[in-house]
Amino acid sequence: MIVQRVFAVLYMLAGLAKAFPQLENVADILQQAAVANQGTWYAGATAWLAAQGTAVNALIGVALFASGAVLMFNPRWTTLIIYCQLLMMAGFVTILHRAQPQVILLDAIFALAALYMLRQQHHRKPKPRTFPTRDFSTPTPASGGSVTPTLDGEYDVVIIGGGVSGLAAASELTERRVLVLEKSASFGGNARYRAVNRLKFPIAGVCFQEPLPGSFMLQLLKKIGLSGAYKSNEKDTLVFFDTFLLLRCLGEVVVGFLKQPVYLLKPAVWRLTGQLFLHALIGKPYVIAAKQLGDPIFADLYAFLDTFSPRGERYPSLPWTPQSTWSKANMALLDTIPLYTYLFEPHKLDQIPADLRPPRKFGKLVENAVSTTLRVECLDIREVSAYVGLHFLVGYLRGNLVTLPGGNGSISAGLLDYLEEQNNVRLQSRVQLQSITPGGDETVIRFSVNGAASEIRAKQVIWAAPKTHLPTWLPTLPKEQLAAIRQIRHEDYYLANVLLKKPILEHSFGGYLIEPENTRTPYYWSKAGTCLIANWMDNRLSAETGVLTLLKPTTRPERQGRTAQNEFPALQQQTYIEIAKVLGNMGIDADIIEDIQIWFWPAGLVTSVAGQQAQGVFHQASRPFENIHFANQDSVGIGNIESAVLAGLNAAKAVRERLAMPVTPAEVMS
């Protein structure tokens, strides 16, 4: 600010000087320039300005003084004024350099100062603001909350946990008497949405992989009437590259484009190049590009990932089974090394078969992109195994993502609507579990609803709640199973919704923020890596308001023992700084933000650590016990909705077999 105030004074003095011809006679200077510029392309403009010398003098004087005043008091239009000053200096140099060559040096000094001030403006933190939301948000009841009619005393199947796993399991068991118990006021687990002015926005899970024909996900979506309702991000994704990261990796970028020279014929590539150098010059934090423009940079990684496509024979499926196309030896080999080593430390891969090795060491820009992609699901590039990491990258980086209005909450809402039409299925929320007593033929479950005690018996039970609670409710589980359950790592998850006065980026799925970690930033261990656009998810609504969704999972070793659950105001302000930085980069004033809501999901996602798949940790943790089966998503080991659905369907299949029900074609899962 010192430099800005110094030049503010100089601009104001220069403006005042125009009122004293003895100090600077602008009319005479313009007459000299008109003579010197004869025969140039701008001779006509110079002659016209010389003819209006008095008026031009007054106009320049006012403009200089006013721009200096803006710099002094630093209002919101300071950045615009600096751009105008640069334009004015360019005009001065063009008109006067022949008559007064000293203007080149003088304006060069002022231009450098202007560029410095621009950089300072683009890196300024916005002033703290107070928003209407003052604490973490919680889901509100949607349906299934009724206490009446009275529960029956016996059910064929009782499902504990009303998230997507439990609801998916119930949807496969509608021929039997089913009771779904949920401790919260509403169903949906980590797949829910809210709405503002009818615009749905996710408050937990957002995306899933584009379903393959005949896949279990497509069958589920067809069942609940959503098979044609999702939108793909194939052509509508942006990437927000950190400007100086991109500049430092310029060699990596150049090599990528030289390998695919056809891209050099695209005007968008050269616009991106110009944007990079301009933003580096003026200090804008991001270079924004369509995801497709990054394809040459990531071409080698994409080609490698394509060899593990779900449509091929080398797909690293989760969970691994003896029927997998991977041998157990190869799966275990890749599951015992971190993904970071696999992709970025080739000198440590001597034990890996040649046909499974990456073709080369990938660059720093690729590393940041992979790290960001994994972080969205609480997977750490240095801790997740190469096998699990490949599975995830194939679907979430190389494949297309799809989403519904309101994100994955539309799936749980669709399941709820489907189940509420089934006569044999009962949904009960606000349940306080008291005890579970398993037996050979039936399990006794005691609980209360709004203080009213109930005891029911179940022929089969599906546990679809987090396994972290199992040692309390089922202490008689085998020791090996309890030990495996304790090894499963759960991560806290934050999701921020930024409510805007009007929509922005309505034609974009959203964007990934590819930037290096800054450990000096508050809550850097819970930084947004993705910005998604609720208006794009439902652009048929033509909403007058906008919502941006920021995924803020906690990852990396340094997040251990940290939580912001009691620090909402600070986390909200840090989120405000992050999104204001993104908006400012696009020339959008942060005043467009009306509110910032943050949803806290403690232990909301499960991460898979290198070696756990090979050791069978998740299989061991999910072994049936007596007549109790397990259907929560950590039976697969990564926190995404596909694993939640698959775990629910597999548990339902096991229950049907135990109840001697005929298997239907719908249970044939890919």
Side-chain angles (χ1 to χ4, degrees):
M1 289 297 292
I2 295 177
V3 171
Q4 185 169 317
R5 294 186 188 282
V6 168
F7 277 85
V9 172
L10 292 176
Y11 273 107
M12 287 192 287
L13 290 174
L16 291 172
K18 301 298 182 287
F20 301 95
Q22 60 270 34
L23 294 177
E24 185 178 18
N25 194 322
V26 173
D28 285 350
I29 293 173
L30 288 174
Q31 289 293 340
Q32 297 170 22
V35 174
N37 292 341
Q38 289 181 7
T40 63
W41 60 270
Y42 46 88
T46 309
W48 183 87
L49 290 171
Q52 317 295 326
T54 303
V56 170
N57 178 68
L59 179 64
I60 292 175
V62 171
L64 289 173
F65 187 87
S67 64
V70 170
L71 294 182
M72 177 62 70
F73 299 105
N74 199 36
R76 69 177 61 184
W77 54 83
T78 296
T79 300
L80 176 62
I81 289 297
I82 296 173
Y83 281 120
C84 290
Q85 288 174 343
L86 285 168
L87 186 62
M88 185 167 58
M89 282 182 272
F92 286 167
V93 171
T94 302
I95 297 296
L96 302 178
H97 75 279
R98 288 171 174 266
Q100 295 194 333
Q102 66 271 22
V103 76
I104 298 176
L105 177 60
L106 183 63
D107 278 7
I109 294 172
F110 275 79
L112 288 173
L115 291 174
Y116 174 80
M117 288 185 286
L118 269 181
R119 294 172 66 87
Q120 294 299 105
Q121 288 293 320
H122 288 307
H123 287 86
R124 287 183 66 205
K125 290 183 179 179
K127 294 181 179 179
R129 283 179 54 189
T130 300
F131 296 100
T133 298
R134 303 296 180 88
D135 204 348
F136 289 107
S137 302
T138 56
T140 53
S143 60
S146 174
V147 181
T148 56
T150 304
L151 294 172
D152 296 334
E154 184 175 336
Y155 289 88
D156 295 323
V157 184
V158 171
I159 300 173
I160 301 174
V164 168
S165 288
L167 298 177
S171 74
E172 291 288 294
L173 298 167
T174 55
E175 297 177 25
R176 291 282 184 163
R177 290 183 304 124
V178 177
L179 172 64
V180 181
L181 301 177
E182 168 58 41
K183 70 174 182 178
S184 302
S186 60
F187 293 86
N190 291 358
R192 306 178 194 236
Y193 64 76
R194 290 280 294 273
V196 56
N197 295 334
R198 297 187 300 117
L199 175 65
K200 296 176 182 177
F201 57 90
I203 64 172
V206 180
C207 309
F208 53 100
Q209 298 176 37
E210 187 167 17
L212 295 175
S215 66
F216 66 88
M217 278 298 292
L218 194 57
Q219 291 180 39
L220 178 81
L221 293 172
K222 286 180 178 178
K223 183 193 319 188
I224 61 178
L226 294 176
S227 60
Y230 56 77
K231 291 184 64 179
S232 169
N233 76 338
E234 182 179 7
K235 298 179 180 179
D236 298 327
T237 300
L238 300 174
V239 181
F240 293 76
F241 290 102
D242 179 271
T243 299
F244 290 97
L245 173 65
L246 196 57
L247 202 60
R248 287 196 298 270
C249 298
L250 194 57
E252 189 179 338
V253 175
V254 170
V255 169
F257 279 101
L258 289 178
K259 287 182 177 180
Q260 299 193 35
V262 66
Y263 274 82
L264 299 177
L265 302 177
K266 296 178 179 290
V269 171
W270 296 105
R271 286 197 298 271
L272 182 63
T273 304
Q275 184 187 149
L276 169 62
F277 289 109
L278 175 63
H279 287 195
L281 188 65
I282 65 177
K284 272 198 172 183
Y286 298 113
V287 173
I288 306 174
K291 182 173 179 286
Q292 289 79 0
L293 288 182
D295 286 352
I297 304 171
F298 305 114
D300 289 340
L301 176 65
Y302 287 166
F304 178 61
L305 293 178
D306 285 346
T307 65
F308 301 101
S309 167
R311 296 174 175 84
E313 296 181 353
R314 291 166 38 118
Y315 180 59
S317 58
L318 286 177
W320 180 89
T321 66
Q323 291 74 40
S324 172
T325 54
W326 279 65
S327 69
K328 184 174 183 180
N330 281 345
M331 179 276 290
L333 195 59
L334 262 67
D335 194 58
T336 53
I337 62 171
L339 182 65
Y340 179 83
T341 296
Y342 185 62
L343 295 180
F344 304 105
E345 296 180 318
H347 58 283
K348 297 181 179 180
L349 302 181
D350 292 341
Q351 76 279 22
I352 304 296
D355 63 324
L356 292 179
R357 292 183 201 170
R360 53 182 286 269
K361 176 183 177 180
F362 299 110
K364 199 69 178 177
L365 204 57
V366 172
E367 178 187 332
N368 277 272
V370 169
S371 179
T372 297
T373 305
L374 293 169
R375 193 169 72 233
V376 172
E377 291 289 343
C378 288
L379 296 174
D380 189 289
I381 191 173
R382 296 179 182 272
E383 293 189 342
V384 69
S385 75
Y387 184 82
V388 174
L390 278 178
H391 169 88
F392 187 82
L393 291 177
V394 166
Y396 278 73
L397 181 61
R398 188 57 183 135
N400 296 324
L401 297 180
V402 296
T403 188
L404 296 153
N408 293 346
S410 289
I411 296 179
S412 60
L415 281 166
L416 274 173
D417 290 342
Y418 176 82
L419 291 173
E420 286 175 344
E421 294 177 355
Q422 311 302 315
N423 295 328
N424 292 332
V425 178
R426 171 73 187 274
L427 304 169
Q428 180 61 61
S429 63
R430 298 184 177 92
V431 171
Q432 294 295 319
L433 194 61
Q434 294 175 344
S435 68
I436 304 173
T437 307
D441 298 324
E442 62 182 14
T443 291
V444 178
I445 303 171
R446 296 180 180 87
F447 57 91
S448 64
V449 179
N450 293 335
S454 293
E455 177 180 304
I456 57 174
R457 299 177 183 275
K459 296 178 181 178
Q460 296 290 310
V461 175
I462 295 177
W463 180 277
K467 286 198 182 76
T468 50
H469 305 306
L470 278 175
T472 300
W473 300 114
L474 291 173
T476 57
L477 283 172
K479 292 182 179 180
E480 298 81 4
Q481 191 165 3
L482 288 172
I485 290 169
R486 292 189 179 100
Q487 287 185 55
I488 297 174
R489 180 181 293 177
H490 293 76
E491 305 289 1
D492 291 350
Y493 203 102
Y494 300 90
L495 182 145
N497 281 303
V498 182
L499 277 58
L500 308 175
K501 295 177 182 177
K502 61 180 181 180
I504 65 169
L505 297 173
E506 295 173 86
H507 302 293
S508 174
F509 164 84
Y512 292 97
L513 306 176
I514 310 298
E515 53 190 336
E517 294 179 4
N518 181 1
T519 57
R520 292 170 297 185
T521 302
Y523 303 108
Y524 79 97
W525 46 272
S526 181
K527 179 170 175 35
T530 308
C531 177
L532 304 172
I533 318 297
N535 302 77
W536 178 87
M537 298 178 196
D538 191 9
N539 57 7
R540 295 168 296 179
L541 185 62
S542 299
E544 296 181 359
T545 54
V547 178
L548 303 179
T549 297
L550 307 181
L551 308 181
K552 299 173 70 68
T554 59
T555 58
R556 301 177 292 277
E558 54 268 28
R559 55 73 178 98
Q560 293 292 339
R562 297 190 183 193
T563 180
Q565 62 179 317
N566 299 316
E567 303 174 29
F568 176 81
L571 183 59
Q572 186 185 54
Q573 288 302 312
Q574 183 59 28
T575 303
Y576 171 57
I577 291 170
E578 290 179 20
I579 194 60
K581 180 180 173 183
V582 173
L583 294 175
N585 197 91
M586 296 185 289
I588 301 172
D589 198 295
D591 281 353
I592 194 176
I593 300 173
E594 289 191 313
D595 195 13
I596 296 178
Q597 301 175 357
I598 303 179
W599 306 80
F600 173 45
W601 301 94
L605 284 184
V606 177
T607 63
S608 181
V609 179
Q612 288 186 333
Q613 298 289 331
Q615 296 165 13
V617 168
F618 298 101
H619 286 289
Q620 182 68 40
S622 296
R623 290 184 183 278
F625 175 69
E626 300 285 355
N627 61 346
I628 301 176
H629 309 265
F630 299 97
N632 46 314
Q633 60 187 3
D634 63 13
S635 59
V636 174
I638 55 176
N640 58 52
I641 198 164
E642 293 93 340
S643 65
V645 169
L646 183 58
L649 298 182
N650 284 337
K653 180 179 178 180
V655 164
R656 295 186 73 164
E657 290 174 351
R658 290 284 291 272
L659 292 172
M661 295 177 67
V663 177
T664 65
E667 293 175 344
V668 179
M669 293 167 250
S670 59

